[in-house]
Amino acid sequence: MKGKLALQVLKRVAVLSMVGGAGSALAQTVTVTPSVETRLSWTDNVGASAQDKRQDWFAEIAPGIAISRESGRFSGRLNAELRNVAYASESDRNTSFVALQGRGQLEAVENLLFVDMDAAISRNNLSAFTGRSSVDTLNTDENDETRTWSLAPRMQFRYGDAEGSLGYLSRWVDSGGSALGQQRLSQWTAQAGSPSAFRVLGWGLNYSRSDSDYGSSTTSGGSNSVNKEVGRATLYINVTPQFRLRAIGGRESNDYANGRKESGTIYGGGFDWNPTERTIIEATTEERIFGRGYDFRFNHRMARSSWNLQFSKDFSSGLESFGQSRQLTQQERLCAQIAALVSSDPAQQEQFYQSCLVALGFDPFAARQTLRSNAQFIDKSMQAGFSLTGVRNVLSFTLMRSDRTRVGSGGSLATDDDFANTDRVLTTAGTVALSHRLSGYSSLNFSVTRERSEGASGTNLDTRRLFMLVGLTTQLGPNTYGGLNYRYQRSDGSSAGSDFTENSITANLGMRF
């Protein structure tokens, strides 16, 4: 069964690769980089257990391929590995699986029809209350595997000063555990507008309809399918070339609350302000079905530092979170800055960037989703961070807080769903990361993350996690790199399976051809 699944996944990877190859026939450069990654690890708690703490050695061989293309009608990146993990003592844990991350865009008809696509396969514990940290890349439990595929054709058009688009998104999610099961999201979107149609005044229209199908699983409202419709009209007031006001009105409806349809008006406003070329400030506030919704974003870059801040409150779900575009995390920014310092060659920069993320224990899939649930919820979130770049050092700080409130009773959710026993999940996390460049080919990396997840008052759900990593990354040759890192993680909580500590050491050696 596992072999058939891996074969199906590799066939899909091949299809994506052929799409990239078709783009090359239209004329541009495709970079294909085969690789082999080997790892040898020791852990003093292979099962992440408080009662049955056992040590073990395990080895991994992961052949992979990276395909990238940044010009022409097809652009995108695809990274795939076939991870083969073998344990010295507990051979029943041996496993082979595909890890994949890809995103691309095809211009099927010039300046008219575009197709966006993305795919991801990863084994990360997404539960807020039990198990390993979501950033623990040593986790290979098949029950934590999640697979997502998205295909989104869209037609873009222009009429005079107005621009518009009509799009359709189809996203499939499949998981190894019972909490998520098999899911599908179908979403229609239409928009048109001209923000400066009459110089001082402009207009915009936006409509979307989302249908979420959870297969044999059920949502927090007790149904296996839900839908949402949102329509907005926007009046733009261009005060200056750098400052613009927005007045918003619209209508929305959904059947999230136990299958009962709710509808209401939307009204609010906002502004867009670009005081300098390096500073972007966007703010929106609206009256919605659930009360006051908002979205505030601030980004500022300086010569040796970057700052970002974001607040938002809106409807969301685990299904919508998979495949969503997101801002780069501080770890990704940090590794990109280090790679730029190490080399001016794009291929070497990409190689050092990927090895830096590995050394920091970062997984882009886990960064998108940190909740295991089929529930619809209202997500009130905050994220802030900044990074400082020196001659040899890059320092970054990130603070995140997410307050999710379930919509619906939740009585029919799976028992291991994070919302099964609470109507609220509050998660607060902070990360500090430091990279010190020892030479033009080596860097010393350190990161520590503290996280706390709490349920509603009276549920006795409270888990605190600490994850720390110290690692060395070095370029051994033009196409060879290696590293050594130490990890420590601790989890303390009231749920079963949430208490454990672990120390692990990993040596890795990789080669790109």
Side-chain angles (χ1 to χ4, degrees):
M1 188 68 178
K2 293 180 183 177
K4 290 182 179 179
L5 179 59
L7 183 59
Q8 291 173 358
V9 170
L10 288 174
K11 286 181 179 178
R12 296 189 187 185
V13 172
V15 170
L16 290 175
S17 302
M18 288 190 292
V19 171
S24 64
L26 296 174
Q28 318 314 307
T29 304
V30 177
T31 302
V32 180
T33 308
S35 64
V36 175
E37 181 90 24
T38 60
R39 302 180 184 94
L40 179 63
S41 302
W42 171 87
T43 174
D44 67 350
N45 194 352
V46 66
S49 172
Q51 291 77 27
D52 188 18
K53 192 173 181 180
R54 301 187 305 275
Q55 63 178 355
D56 203 353
W57 288 87
F58 55 99
E60 177 178 347
I61 299 178
I65 187 169
I67 304 173
S68 66
R69 177 186 172 86
E70 301 300 337
S71 60
R73 290 197 175 182
F74 182 87
S75 62
R77 292 189 176 190
L78 175 69
N79 292 284
E81 284 185 324
L82 179 59
R83 298 184 60 183
N84 303 279
V85 185
Y87 289 78
S89 299
E90 303 195 13
S91 58
D92 58 322
R93 296 181 182 274
N94 293 355
T95 185
S96 295
F97 64 97
V98 172
L100 180 147
Q101 188 76 29
R103 184 180 293 272
Q105 181 187 96
L106 173 66
E107 187 177 3
V109 179
E110 188 173 4
N111 296 325
L112 179 64
L113 181 61
F114 299 82
V115 181
D116 298 314
M117 58 198 80
D118 69 70
I121 305 176
S122 183
R123 292 190 178 184
N124 297 94
N125 175 39
L126 302 180
S127 175
F129 299 112
T130 62
R132 295 176 176 272
S133 169
S134 62
V135 298
D136 184 4
T137 55
L138 297 183
N139 182 24
T140 58
D141 189 343
E142 64 180 352
N143 292 322
D144 290 330
E145 180 167 309
T146 307
R147 301 169 289 276
T148 68
W149 311 89
S150 299
L151 196 64
R154 56 185 166 85
M155 184 176 67
Q156 294 188 176
F157 58 87
R158 177 187 289 271
Y159 183 78
D161 293 332
E163 294 182 352
S165 67
L166 175 65
Y168 175 75
L169 166 69
S170 187
R171 177 178 301 140
W172 298 267
V173 177
D174 189 15
S175 70
S178 60
L180 297 179
Q182 295 182 335
Q183 309 175 15
R184 181 176 179 180
L185 172 67
S186 300
Q187 184 178 66
W188 286 97
T189 58
Q191 56 185 15
S194 178
S196 56
F198 310 104
R199 292 194 177 182
V200 175
L201 299 178
W203 61 276
L205 298 172
N206 188 292
Y207 170 81
S208 68
R209 177 186 171 89
S210 301
D211 295 285
S212 302
D213 186 353
Y214 293 88
S216 58
S217 304
T218 53
T219 69
S220 51
S223 171
N224 61 359
S225 64
V226 294
N227 67 75
K228 175 179 68 173
E229 284 187 274
V230 181
R232 289 184 176 88
T234 303
L235 173 66
Y236 296 99
I237 304 173
N238 301 296
V239 181
T240 70
Q242 293 78 32
F243 186 75
R244 180 173 66 190
L245 295 172
R246 288 181 277 113
I248 303 169
R251 186 92 179 158
E252 68 177 328
S253 66
N254 66 63
D255 58 358
Y256 293 164
N258 302 320
R260 185 180 69 255
K261 186 172 183 178
E262 292 184 315
S263 60
T265 57
I266 300 173
Y267 59 90
F271 68 86
D272 305 304
W273 185 27
N274 300 323
T276 71
E277 293 182 352
R278 297 184 174 187
T279 306
I280 299 174
I281 303 175
E282 300 173 348
T284 303
T285 179
E286 298 174 324
E287 191 64 30
R288 304 281 300 278
I289 291 177
F290 57 81
R292 178 64 60 181
Y294 49 82
D295 189 356
F296 174 83
R297 300 167 187 263
F298 167 79
N299 289 280
H300 178 65
R301 294 181 297 106
M302 299 178 66
R304 291 193 172 274
S305 65
S306 64
W307 308 72
N308 67 86
L309 177 64
Q310 179 178 346
F311 295 92
S312 65
K313 182 181 179 181
D314 201 352
F315 281 118
S316 188
S317 68
L319 181 55
E320 291 182 359
S321 298
F322 290 118
Q324 264 184 358
S325 60
R326 60 177 177 82
Q327 291 186 334
L328 294 177
T329 65
Q330 291 302 105
Q331 292 99 321
E332 290 171 299
R333 291 192 180 96
L334 180 145
C335 289
Q337 290 166 340
I338 296 170
L341 292 173
V342 169
S343 174
S344 59
D345 179 67
Q348 290 189 358
Q349 285 183 358
E350 176 66 16
Q351 180 172 313
F352 206 90
Y353 173 75
Q354 295 296 338
S355 59
C356 174
L357 292 179
V358 171
L360 292 176
F362 177 81
D363 187 291
F365 185 88
R368 296 185 301 179
Q369 172 76 357
T370 57
L371 189 72
R372 184 173 63 196
S373 180
N374 276 340
Q376 309 292 322
F377 51 84
I378 299 169
D379 187 6
K380 183 166 62 174
S381 65
M382 181 278 294
Q383 180 173 314
F386 74 91
S387 64
L388 303 172
T389 304
V391 177
R392 288 182 173 272
N393 301 293
V394 180
L395 177 66
S396 70
F397 295 86
T398 304
L399 179 64
M400 182 277 291
R401 180 182 174 90
S402 181
D403 189 351
R404 303 176 176 102
T405 303
R406 187 187 66 215
V407 180
S409 63
S412 56
L413 294 172
T415 56
D416 55 347
D417 191 295
D418 282 347
F419 273 116
N421 299 307
T422 180
D423 62 359
R424 182 188 182 197
V425 178
L426 174 61
T427 301
T428 306
T431 299
V432 179
L434 171 66
S435 180
H436 174 67
R437 190 158 59 97
L438 299 173
S439 67
Y441 301 99
S442 302
S443 67
L444 185 64
N445 307 296
F446 168 80
S447 69
V448 59
T449 299
R450 291 190 66 92
E451 176 185 308
R452 182 180 184 183
S453 295
E454 304 170 81
S457 177
T459 61
N460 199 33
L461 291 172
D462 189 354
T463 299
R464 304 179 188 223
R465 292 185 173 113
L466 171 65
F467 187 86
M468 183 181 70
L469 182 144
V470 179
L472 174 68
T473 301
T474 186
Q475 192 84 20
L476 300 174
N479 298 306
T480 309
Y481 57 92
L484 179 68
N485 63 61
Y486 163 76
R487 303 165 184 250
Y488 171 79
Q489 64 175 315
R490 185 182 72 235
S491 176
D492 301 298
S494 54
S495 304
S498 61
D499 282 347
F500 71 92
T501 60
E502 182 187 29
N503 296 277
S504 65
I505 298 174
T506 298
N508 70 288
L509 178 65
M511 178 177 291
R512 287 183 168 86
F513 305 96

